[in-house]
Amino acid sequence: MSNNAETNEADTGDLTDGFHLLIDALKLNDLNTIYGVPGIPITDFGRMAQAEGIRVISFRHEQHAGNAATIAGFLTQKPGICLTVSAPGFLNGLTALANATTNCFPMILISGSSEREIVDLQQGDYEEMDQLAIAKPLCKAAFRVLHAEDIGIAVARAIRAACSGRPGGVYLDLPAKLFGQTMNVEDGAKSLIKVADPAPCQIPAPEAVARALEILGNAKRPLIILGKGAAYAQADDDIRKFVEQSGIPYLPMSMAKGLLPDDHVLSAGAARSLALKEADVVMLIGARLNWLLSHGKGKSWGVEPKKFIQIDIEPKEMDSNVEITAPIVGDIASSVAALLAQMGDDWSTPPAEWTGAIRTKVETNIERMAPKLRNNNVPMDYHGALGVIKSIIKERPDAILVNEGANTLDFARSIVDMYQPRKRLDVGTWGVMGIGMGFAIAAAIETGKPVLAVEGDSAFGFSGMEIETICRYNLPICVVVFNNNGIYRGTDTNPSGGDDVATTVFVKDARYDQMMEAFGGVGVYATSPDELSQAIKEAFASGKPTLVNAVIDENAGTESGRIGNLNPQSVVKK
Ligand code: OXT
Ligand code: ADP
Ligand code: MG
């Protein structure tokens, strides 16, 4: 650390220091919100950032601050900033950093760290850890800054790494000593960089676009799959235009729901199995052929070989699971614009037999589900509870839906229609529990819209303490906990017959609503769909932090929701 004399001089304006250079570098790049947890060595940095007009949102645990930064990145295309203390705080933020990278969202984890000289000699410094080495494999890029004059460059590199190409997480390691280092104000200002064009367009090759259109145009049963990369790209109008002009049915991945409204005539969302099985040409736009799409092969893809077209900014994504016959490597906005430009007036929409078959299946599935959604059972089942949430989102399509759990997630995905882009935020590529409150907080802060977080009771438990954060910042968030007394179901029993409860079961009829009241928010105990509906509507109208404990039949769920098939089976019979 530099001495007090230098720090005082920094206040007079002759000198600046690491604290202020970092603040100025972030502000210069329009990064005006920080999500974090204070402590040594970044407490004063948080205070100074707040004093300088940055919004600093303090969490109860770094993982949720990190999740908030991650989803801020998805919503805004600017890297979300998470600030943590050294070693344990840094590690708490790491799950979110890795999750950001996995989901291709831009995020920067800035962590204070202990002194290099002591850490490198392993002499047992306060919170000693070689953080840079640990972060490296979990992010797109990791940088350590040792000199105040390099802060500008480091922030610029972090922004570029997070946003350009395939977006992802970046780690910035700032040893405590850096913050107090001083330099002349003018030189300091000159050392900062306003990043020009942080996510440069990647224009696809015209022949790649022509190849794709040729295959798509000749398909008998074409299908477009829209992924969260398409939602991230913010090319909403062109994507809609391309789908509509092509006349091709589309399947939205979970976080791409609402890119076109889910009740769009070309949506194949409610005919998922049929669409995947029967399509002969599949065009992926910002979606990977990972586990969520059964790697593009196997029984859910039917027997006939398919041709794949893929638009992705990451060339290495092509042929990762199956052959991609027509890769379009480029950013989605440029690629879709190029497709539209090259489509020509002679484009013929797919055979009515195909679009008709999809439509019929969609209508059958919707009709089959409709009566279940209208039930007013007590205790509620998933359909009854989500039926009212479906209606509420239809009335408030601008509201943001955060969703996690197993059954709570899977039922909500298929039941609750979305009407606008980037309004559904969920567990993403990893199926990770714990994103709930962090995502909800950032969604409220970044968009100013009402947020509805529909949470399994287990899922909620991962970030539940952050309802204090929600109350502290008085955010318009309504959390609905689907309380079925456990993970998947509340009915499991201990197979040994012993006194401990089953591994998946929680305290019966826990009152999550009272947790919210403890922090001054509104708590509601809802046993019927009508009560649930009323509680959410009141929360939206008042904008007050609310938690609705929605009592769900503990028998209603299934093991792992829709992905029970992923559980390994034992061959040992006991
Ligand atoms: O076409 P068909 O006929 O097949 O029908 C499909 C659609 O066409 C149709 N559909 C519709 N019908 C009518 N109307 C409409 N509008 C409509 N829309 C669609 O419905 C069906 C189904 O459609 P869907 O869902 O699109 O299709 P499908 O086949 O399911 O899609 C496949 C997938 C893979 C794309 C999809 O299932 C998917 O996206 N799945 C994601 C699953 C996921 O990520 N799950 C979370 C992880 S589970 C587990 O790991 C959990 N853990 C462990 C754990 C985790 N995850 N993380 C950490 C940090 N620690 C531990 C835990 C602890 S879950 C969990 C907690 C669970 O307990 P909770 O209390 O929180 O939750 P409850 O279960 O509620 O108790
Ligand atoms: P989903 O889970 O919805 O299927 P994925 O996260 O698997 O979506 O895939 C998103 C893909 O989108 C990633 O391969 C990523 O490289 C890509 N991507 C993200 N942003 C862009 C963009 N602006 N242009 C092109 N591709 C993008
Ligand atoms: Mg549950």
Side-chain angles (χ1 to χ4, degrees):
M1 288 267 194
S2 58
N3 62 38
N4 284 342
E6 277 173 337
T7 313
N8 288 342
E9 265 186 276
D11 293 337
T12 69
D14 296 327
L15 292 177
T16 186
D17 59 15
F19 290 107
H20 290 90
L21 286 165
L22 180 57
I23 292 165
D24 292 346
L26 294 173
K27 282 172 64 174
L28 183 64
N29 285 288
D30 207 20
L31 299 174
N32 298 311
T33 308
I34 293 175
Y35 302 94
V37 176
I40 299 168
I42 47 101
T43 318
D44 269 350
F45 173 73
R47 290 191 184 112
M48 291 177 205
Q50 195 171 39
E52 299 285 336
I54 289 187
R55 189 147 194 218
V56 184
I57 306 293
S58 280
F59 282 67
R60 303 300 291 261
H61 188 290
E62 292 87 352
Q63 187 175 327
H64 313 305
N67 284 330
T70 298
I71 211 65
F74 170 72
L75 289 168
T76 65
Q77 293 185 327
K78 289 190 298 186
I81 305 293
C82 174
L83 180 68
T84 65
V85 304
S86 24
F90 156 79
L91 286 173
N92 286 344
L94 214 49
T95 311
L97 179 70
N99 195 44
T101 308
T102 300
N103 282 281
C104 316
F105 300 156
M107 180 262 206
I108 302 174
L109 175 65
I110 301 178
S111 185
S113 60
S114 301
E115 302 313 343
R116 292 300 335 141
E117 297 83 348
I118 307 180
V119 173
D120 288 348
L121 269 173
Q122 298 173 31
Q123 292 175 314
D125 200 6
Y126 168 73
E127 297 191 347
E128 176 178 300
M129 176 175 273
D130 187 358
Q131 297 172 195
L132 189 72
I134 289 166
K136 257 184 194 161
L138 300 174
C139 56
K140 269 186 83 180
F143 307 105
R144 178 182 291 134
V145 194
L146 295 177
H147 304 295
E149 61 264 34
D150 292 330
I151 287 175
I153 293 280
V155 169
R157 295 200 74 185
I159 293 170
R160 274 204 190 283
C163 297
S164 60
R166 170 181 278 176
V170 174
Y171 176 60
L172 211 49
D173 190 84
L174 307 182
K177 223 186 258 179
L178 177 79
F179 290 98
Q181 286 179 15
T182 55
M183 67 188 289
N184 170 287
V185 167
E186 262 179 45
D187 292 342
K190 278 193 219 139
S191 74
L192 303 184
I193 294 176
K194 180 162 175 58
V195 178
D197 197 10
C201 291
Q202 291 194 22
I203 312 285
E207 44 296 4
V209 175
R211 188 194 299 127
L213 283 173
E214 168 83 20
I215 295 171
L216 202 60
N218 287 323
K220 302 232 161 11
R221 298 180 305 282
L223 175 69
I224 293 171
I225 298 183
L226 300 174
K228 56 173 126 67
Y232 173 78
Q234 297 195 15
D236 309 335
D237 292 346
D238 269 3
I239 288 174
R240 182 170 183 152
K241 204 161 151 197
F242 174 65
V243 171
E244 289 178 341
Q245 221 159 293
S246 71
I248 297 173
Y250 72 94
L251 186 65
M253 299 300 285
S254 193
M255 281 178 62
K257 276 166 72 79
L259 204 40
L260 283 81
D262 275 339
D263 57 1
H264 194 283
V265 69
L266 287 170
S267 171
R272 187 178 195 274
S273 300
L274 176 90
L276 293 183
K277 251 192 207 100
E278 301 292 329
D280 61 350
V281 171
V282 177
M283 175 182 244
L284 300 148
I285 307 184
R288 285 170 286 185
L289 282 173
N290 56 15
W291 71 280
L292 289 156
L293 283 167
S294 314
H295 305 280
K297 53 198 170 196
K299 128 165 148 286
S300 39
W301 286 91
V303 282
E304 302 256 337
K306 293 174 198 305
K307 284 191 174 147
F308 286 96
I309 301 165
Q310 183 162 23
I311 305 180
D312 207 290
I313 202 157
E314 175 56 64
K316 288 201 298 285
E317 190 55 40
M318 306 300 164
D319 307 319
S320 60
N321 283 271
V322 295
E323 178 186 348
I324 302 299
T325 316
I328 301 182
V329 175
D331 74 272
I332 286 166
S334 306
S335 302
V336 174
L339 285 165
L340 279 167
Q342 287 191 37
M343 252 165 94
D345 297 334
D346 55 347
W347 178 265
S348 54
T349 52
E353 205 185 322
W354 170 238
T355 46
I358 298 267
R359 202 61 219 150
T360 306
K361 181 69 179 168
V362 165
E363 281 163 10
T364 312
N365 272 353
I366 289 176
E367 268 166 40
R368 197 176 298 154
M369 196 189 268
K372 295 190 205 161
L373 301 178
R374 288 194 293 268
N375 86 64
N376 208 26
N377 293 341
V378 175
M380 292 181 268
D381 57 25
Y382 288 94
H383 285 94
L386 288 163
V388 299
I389 290 176
K390 179 188 174 91
S391 307
I392 287 169
I393 293 292
K394 190 166 188 177
E395 280 168 26
R396 284 301 306 263
D398 61 323
I400 295 187
L401 181 73
V402 173
N403 188 204
E404 59 177 338
N407 294 281
T408 305
L409 174 87
D410 291 341
F411 281 114
R413 187 180 54 250
S414 56
I415 292 172
V416 182
D417 286 340
M418 306 307 296
Y419 302 91
Q420 296 179 11
R422 296 171 294 284
K423 297 295 183 188
R424 188 187 152 82
L425 311 176
D426 68 26
V427 300
T429 305
W430 263 349
V432 62
M433 298 298 109
I435 49 86
M437 297 307 101
F439 277 18
I441 289 167
I445 283 175
E446 300 290 339
T447 70
K449 298 286 182 192
V451 178
L452 181 62
V454 177
E455 303 271 313
D457 50 344
S458 163
F460 173 69
F462 286 73
S463 65
M465 193 63 200
E466 300 297 345
I467 58 176
E468 189 275 330
T469 310
I470 293 173
C471 290
R472 189 164 13 109
Y473 292 100
N474 195 25
L475 297 172
I477 296 173
C478 176
V479 182
V480 177
V481 177
F482 273 26
N483 189 355
N484 65 347
N485 299 335
I487 298 177
Y488 313 138
R489 274 185 307 258
T491 50
D492 285 359
T493 52
N494 180 340
S496 78
D499 288 340
D500 287 349
V501 293
T503 55
T504 51
V505 166
F506 297 153
V507 165
K508 301 276 182 198
D509 203 20
R511 294 295 301 267
Y512 296 102
D513 49 315
Q514 292 176 355
M515 282 175 66
M516 194 58 144
E517 286 170 351
F519 300 116
V522 178
V524 184
Y525 183 75
T527 55
S528 69
D530 285 348
E531 286 171 9
L532 175 61
S533 176
Q534 194 186 336
I536 300 172
K537 283 181 179 162
E538 277 172 17
F540 274 11
S542 72
K544 285 189 189 147
T546 301
L547 189 150
V548 188
N549 183 89
V551 181
I552 302 288
D553 180 353
E554 60 177 10
N555 290 290
T558 57
E559 177 91 9
S560 302
R562 299 268 305 168
I563 56 170
N565 59 311
L566 298 181
N567 286 306
Q569 302 287 320
S570 169
V571 291
V572 179
K573 294 217 165 37
K574 284 229 165 142

